[in-house]
Structure formats: structure tokens, C-alpha cells
């Protein structure tokens, strides 16, 4: 590094450290004040950095907003390492043309960047009390990886030209109990927030992400309020990942973020890689979200109180991968959601009273692992504390569309049985009779069996009887099988009924056959009608 005293244009009132930064800025070179002691260079450790490593925030602001011209053949840039910034760095409403990259720096006061414009801004591994950057605009990236923020980040209505990377950041709450306030945020490409730790609400209401949004391996905690992730009306053009991340044990070096974070659905860790799942302590609100590819909850862990929810009301996505760990408390709400493919496990869904699916529309089911129909019916039952036909009808339609007609009939039979429990005693008794006799018409083979048994019984009985004709000379030949069948089958006349005089107990036997025939015909017709309406 050249001697800072060689720049005659530097103001006389600059300290030695500030003169060095001034000259490095004009050269576009890195200005490194680290002492190469890991403990002494760590901005997160509470150890004083002397004046030889300290620059004033107003000097840095002077360079960024109205700094000197670059030296011939160079591009001015502020690239500093291991520097302590004293005072409030206030760039509010300014336009910063030079490239800015700060590594391992410490700010003793907040950064004020509201309505500021940057080309690219990188703060890597820095510590600062707060970042105030509402309506910030960058043409390129905004990087804040591995930073530590004590009183929250505000990025409300910020416009990020390419990527927003905040991997491995640790951020605590502000006075409104928000760790990250980014309502209305617009990111042109990816939002990477992998392996972050937040202590307070992460608010992304109405945010728009141009490609994917990743919270792989992150831990969101909000012991101060109901919501740990509050992102209604979030739009992600591709996939939202709330999944595990693999963190390599290799040194980070000077590479670009995300610094060895492994990705991907079904990622298999390799030797030397630590896998960390996504965990959320507090409620999640993704209501009315729009996702171009998928919402992926593989192996996610949600820890909620009884009055908190994992709310996916009215979301729209081609695919929902509900493969999380089963929440022990709280409620999962999918009311009004519209999904094409639901990928799920039986062990991921909560039990009765903690699942709501009113108006939930899906077209295809892709279960992973053992998910028999009996468990799928328990899933529907868990979502309907009070009887509602729609979840059963939706499941039956999906089963039928997938060619599983027998399972579709079983689902509709379960619906009838569930509805029966809501009926008055007379209706309930009639329902039990229909169920016992022909399973509400969804098992037609049972009706045929009953008909055969009754016909055989009637034939046997009437073969032991020789009745007198009502009109001698105007009657067919007596046939016990045809007479029994004529009594059993309503509407159709086989030419036997009405020609013979029955007396005593035989009248009662005929009446019983007629009554049972009508019961069978009514229940079979009702079942056939239901099948035809959904055929």
C-alpha cells in the first residue's frame, strides 16, 4: 500500500487511518486494517479497536457522496476490511456511485440509508446496531451475509436490482419487535436468507421476489409476538424453500456468498457437512401468496403455541411439498388454497382440531411413504371438526381422476357415514339400514347378494304353498321362483303378482318381500344417482 501522506488532495483534518482510506478509495484498492488475529479482528467480540483502526462516519459519507476523482486509469471504490466506523453513517436520500464493499467492519451507531441509491452494496461479516434502509434502491446486489444487527433491519419498499443475500445473518428485534421489516420489498432475482437467526418478527407483507426465495436452514424465533414469519400476499416467481441446508466445514475464504451452503430437495450431506433444518418458533402467515413453482416445507420444524398458526390461506402454487415435521401444537390452515400437486406424508399432518381445509383445492396427490386410504380419511376427518361434504368430495374427485374408482367410492361412503352422525334419530336409523344393507349404494355387489338371498328364501317358501287363483281360468301357471321375484322387484311386472289369493301367514311373507324389495331398490337407486352425478 502506498503512503497515505502522498495524496495532496486529502483534507488536512483527516486522521492517519482516514487518509489511508481516502487514498485507497481513489485507487479503487482494498484498505485493510486487520491485525490478523482472529479474536482481535472479530467485530462481534466486545474488544476495543484503537484509533489506528477507526474512521469517522462523516468521512466515509464524504467519500461516498462527493468523494475525489479516481486516479487516472483507476475506478473509485470503497473496499475496506477490519475498520471501525465512528458515528452515524447517514446517506439518506443520496446517490452513491462508487462500488461499496465492507468486510469485518464494526459500526458503533446505526446506518441510515433510506431512499438512498447504490449500484451494489456489500456488507460482509459486519456488526452494526441497526440498518435503516426504507425505499433503498440498488441497481445490483445487496449483500449482508454473516452480519450481526442488534436492533433490526428495515427494508420497507426497497428495490433490489438483482439479488438480496443475507445468509447467516443474526438479527435482533427493533422497538416494534420486528427483526426484519421488509413490507413491499421488491427483489428482481433471488432472495437468499439461508442459515439466518432472527429474534423477532420477519415481515415481508406484499413482497415480490423475481426468482426464488430461500430460507434453508434458518431459525426464526419470535417470543415477543404471535408471528415469526409474516408474509401475506408474498409473490415468488419460482419456489419458496423452508428446507434444510448443508453447511460445509471448509473455510469460507474470500468467495461470494452463500459460502459453502448446500442446497436442493433431498440433499444428501457429504462428509464434513453439517445439515441444519429450517425451524420456526412462532406463527407463520403466507396468506394469499402466489408461487410460480412450489412451496417446499421438507423437514421444516414449526414450534407454535395453541393460538398460533401455520397459515396458508388462499395461497396458489403448482406444488405444495408438505413434508415437514408434525407440529405438536398450533394449527395448520389451508382454507381456500389452490394447489395442483400436493406432495405429503401421513406423519406431517396435525391431528383433529388442528387442521383446517375448507375450500382447499388440489388436483393430484403424491404421497411419500406409507399413506393408506384409512390414514387419508383420518386426514379429512381431522380437518372437519363439524361435518362438511366438500373435503370428502374433493378427495373422491382426485381419487377418481387418478383411476382409483374403488377408493373414490370408499371416500364417498365415509362421507355418508360422517353425515349420518349429524341426523336426527329417525334419519340416523334409516342411514344405518342403508349402510348395513347396501353401503349407501356404493357397494352394488352387496345389493345383488341380498337380492339373491331373498329370492332364494322366497322361492323356497312359496314352493311349499299352492295358492288358489283369484280368477279361475284367467291366471298363469303357478311358479314359486317367478312369484318371489315379482314381489321383490318393484315396478316390473313378471305376470305372477295379482293372480293368486294368499291367506294367513303367506300374506305377511309376501308383504315382507315387497317391503325389502323397495328398500333395496331405493338405496341402490340413491347410490347410482350419486355415482352418476360425479361420473
Amino acid at each position: 500500500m502506498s503512503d497515505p501522506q502522498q495524496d495532496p488532495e486529502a483534507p488536512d483534518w483527516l486522521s492517519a487511518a482516514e487518509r489511508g482510506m481516502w487514498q485507497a478509495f481513489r485507487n479503487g484498492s482494498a484498505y485493510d486494517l486487520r491485525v490478523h488475529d482472529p479474536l482481535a479482528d472479530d467485530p462481534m467480540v466486545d474488544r476495543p479497536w484503537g484509533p489506528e483502526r477507526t474512521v469517522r462516519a462523516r468521512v466515509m459519507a464524504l467519500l461516498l457522496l462527493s468523494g475525489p476523482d479516481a486516479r487516472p486509469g483507476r475506478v473509485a471504490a470503497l473496499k475496506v476490511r477490519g475498520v471501525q466506523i465512528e458515528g452515524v453513517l447517514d446517506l439518506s436520500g443520496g446517490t452513491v456511485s462508487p462500488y461499496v464493499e465492507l468486510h469485518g467492519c464494526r459500526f458503533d451507531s446505526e446506518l441510515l440509508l433510506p431512499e438512498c441509491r447504490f449500484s451494489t452494496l456489500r456488507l460482509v461479516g459486519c456488526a452494526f446496531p441497526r440498518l435503516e434502509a426504507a425505499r433503498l434502491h440498488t441497481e445490483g446486489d445487496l449483500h449482508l451475509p454473516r452480519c450481526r444487527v442488534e436492533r433490526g433491519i428495515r427494508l420497507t419498499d426497497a428495490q433490489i436490482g438483482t439479488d438480496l443475500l443475507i445468509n447467516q445473518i443474526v438479527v435482533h428485534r427493533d422497538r416494534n419487535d420486528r427483526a426484519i421489516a421488509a413490507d413491499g420489498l421488491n427483489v428482481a432475482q433471488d432472495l437468499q436468507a439461508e442459515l439466518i437467526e432472527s429474534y423477532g418478527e420477519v415481515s415481508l407483507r406484499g413482497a415480490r421476489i423475481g426468482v426464488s426465495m430461500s430460507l434453508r436452514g434458518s431459525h426464526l424465533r419470535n417470543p415477543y409476538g404471535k408471528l415469526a414469519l409474516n408474509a401475506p400476499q408474498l409473490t415468488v416467481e419460482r419456489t419458496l424453500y423452508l428446507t434444510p441446508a448443508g453447511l460445509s466445514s471448509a473455510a469460507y475464504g474470500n468467495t461470494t456468498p452463500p459460502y459453502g451452503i448446500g442446497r436442493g430437495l433431498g440433499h444428501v450431506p457429504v462428509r464434513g457437512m453439517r445439515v441444519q433444518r429450517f425451524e420456526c418458533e412462532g406463527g407463520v402467515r403466507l396468506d394469499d401468496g402466489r408461487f410460480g413453482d412450489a412451496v417446499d416445507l421438507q423437514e421444516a420444524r414449526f414450534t407454535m403455541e395453541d393460538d398460533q398458526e401455520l397459515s396458508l390461506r388462499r395461497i396458489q402454487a403448482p406444488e405444495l411439498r408438505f413434508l415437514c415435521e408434525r407440529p405438536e401444537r398450533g394449527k395448520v390452515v389451508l382454507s381456500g388454497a389452490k394447489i395442483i400437486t400436493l406432495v405429503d406424508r401421513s406423519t406431517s399432518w396435525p391431528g383433529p382440531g388442528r387442521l383446517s381445509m375448507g375450500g382447499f383445492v388440489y388436483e393430484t396427490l403424491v404421497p411419500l411413504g406409507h399413506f393408506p386410504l384409512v390414514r387419508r380419511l383420518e386426514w379429512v376427518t381431522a380437518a372437519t371438526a363439524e361435518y362438511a361434504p366438500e373435503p370428502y368430495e374433493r378427495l373422491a374427485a382426485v381419487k377418481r381422476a387418478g383411476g382409483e374408482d374403488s377408493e373414490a367410492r370408499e371416500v364417498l361412503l365415509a362421507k355418508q357415514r360422517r353425515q349420518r352422525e349429524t341426523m336426527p334419530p329417525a334419519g340416523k336409523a334409516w342411514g344405518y339400514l342403508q349402510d348395513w344393507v347396501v353401503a349407501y349404494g356404493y357397494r352394488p355387489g352387496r345389493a345383488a347378494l341380498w337380492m339373491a338371498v331373498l329370492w332364494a328364501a322366497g322361492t323356497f317358501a312359496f314352493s311349499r304353498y299352492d295358492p288358489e287363483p283369484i280368477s279361475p281360468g284367467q291366471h298363469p301357471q303357478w311358479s314359486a321362483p317367478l312369484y318371489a321375484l315379482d314381489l321383490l322387484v318393484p315396478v316390473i311386472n313378471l305376470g305372477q303378482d295379482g293372480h293368486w289369493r294368499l291367506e294367513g301367514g303367506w300374506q305377511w311373507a309376501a308383504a315382507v318381500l315387497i317391503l325389502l324389495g323397495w328398500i333395496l331398490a331405493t338405496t341402490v337407486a340413491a347410490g347410482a344417482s350419486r355415482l352418476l352425478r360425479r361420473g
Side-chain angles (χ1 to χ4, degrees), residues 192-206:
Q192 293 185 19
E194 302 182 350
L195 294 163
I196 75 169
E197 293 182 32
S198 64
Y199 299 88
E201 181 181 307
V202 175
S203 184
L204 290 160
R205 294 180 297 179

Side-chain angles (χ1 to χ4, degrees), residues 160-494:
I160 308 303
T162 49
D163 297 328
L164 172 59
L165 283 78
I166 57 173
N167 298 328
Q168 298 173 285
I169 196 171
V170 178
V171 55
H172 295 263
R173 60 171 173 159
D174 61 14
R175 63 176 178 269
N176 296 317
D177 295 331
R178 289 183 174 179
I180 300 175
D183 300 341
L185 172 71
N186 193 319
V187 180
Q189 296 185 18
D190 290 319
L191 194 169
Q192 293 185 19
E194 302 182 350
L195 294 163
I196 75 169
E197 293 182 32
S198 64
Y199 299 88
E201 181 181 307
V202 175
S203 184
L204 290 160
R205 294 180 297 179
R208 298 185 63 88
I209 311 302
V211 185
S212 293
M213 175 176 169
S214 175
L215 284 160
R216 292 181 177 97
S218 293
H219 289 177
L220 311 184
R221 302 177 176 91
N222 186 13
Y224 319 106
K226 283 191 174 183
L227 293 171
L229 176 59
N230 185 19
Q233 297 181 322
L234 172 67
T235 299
V236 179
E237 294 297 330
R238 296 189 64 182
T239 300
L240 170 63
Y241 295 99
L242 307 181
T243 58
L247 180 60
S248 173
S249 61
Y252 297 129
N254 295 322
T255 59
T256 302
Y259 304 105
I261 297 174
R263 313 173 166 188
L265 181 66
H267 173 75
V268 179
V270 298
R271 186 173 182 179
M273 178 172 287
R274 175 173 60 88
V275 176
Q276 180 170 299
R277 73 172 71 201
F278 171 84
E279 295 186 11
C280 184
E281 296 180 18
V284 175
R285 185 181 176 209
L286 295 173
D287 299 350
D288 301 295
R290 301 292 183 268
F291 306 92
D293 285 350
V295 177
D296 192 347
L297 308 181
Q298 185 183 30
E299 306 299 333
R301 176 181 292 164
F302 299 96
T303 305
M304 298 178 284
E305 299 297 327
D306 291 333
D307 61 345
Q308 294 175 335
E309 295 178 344
L310 168 55
S311 180
L312 305 172
R313 289 177 175 87
R314 299 176 299 278
I315 69 166
Q316 295 185 21
E319 185 169 292
L320 171 61
R321 301 168 191 158
F322 200 89
L323 304 170
C324 58
E325 184 179 288
R326 173 181 290 157
E328 296 298 326
R329 301 173 67 182
K331 191 172 183 179
V332 175
V333 183
L334 281 159
S335 302
K338 293 183 179 180
I339 304 297
I340 295 177
T341 302
L342 175 61
V343 183
D344 64 348
R345 291 194 188 98
S346 63
T347 55
S348 294
W349 295 103
R354 297 194 295 110
L355 176 61
S356 179
M357 300 194 303
F360 176 35
V361 176
Y362 53 95
E363 298 180 13
T364 306
L365 286 171
V366 182
L368 296 188
H370 186 58
F371 207 150
L373 182 62
V374 64
R375 297 294 299 275
R376 187 64 76 180
L377 289 173
E378 290 174 359
W379 172 66
V380 174
T381 302
T384 52
E386 297 181 355
Y387 167 72
E390 192 277 333
Y392 290 94
E393 292 170 358
R394 169 56 50 183
L395 178 58
V398 170
K399 288 290 186 180
R400 187 178 294 111
E404 299 173 295
D405 290 339
S406 61
E407 291 200 354
R409 289 194 295 271
E410 289 297 320
V411 172
L412 294 174
L413 176 57
K415 184 194 85 166
Q416 292 293 330
R417 289 170 173 168
R418 184 81 184 279
Q419 184 183 23
R420 181 177 67 205
E421 302 306 313
T422 66
M423 294 180 174
K428 190 176 293 186
W430 175 244
Y432 275 113
L433 180 61
Q434 290 189 84
D435 193 358
W436 183 62
V437 175
V438 290
Y440 289 95
Y442 292 114
R443 293 177 183 169
R446 185 182 294 184
L449 178 62
W450 275 110
M451 185 69 75
V453 169
L454 292 172
W455 185 28
T459 299
F460 176 76
F462 286 115
S463 66
R464 301 166 64 88
Y465 182 57
D466 189 12
E468 292 293 329
I470 295 174
S471 301
Q474 297 181 11
H475 60 85
Q477 184 178 355
W478 169 253
S479 171
L482 282 177
Y483 186 72
L485 189 60
D486 210 353
L487 294 175
L488 274 173
V489 180
V491 180
I492 300 175
N493 188 351
L494 299 179

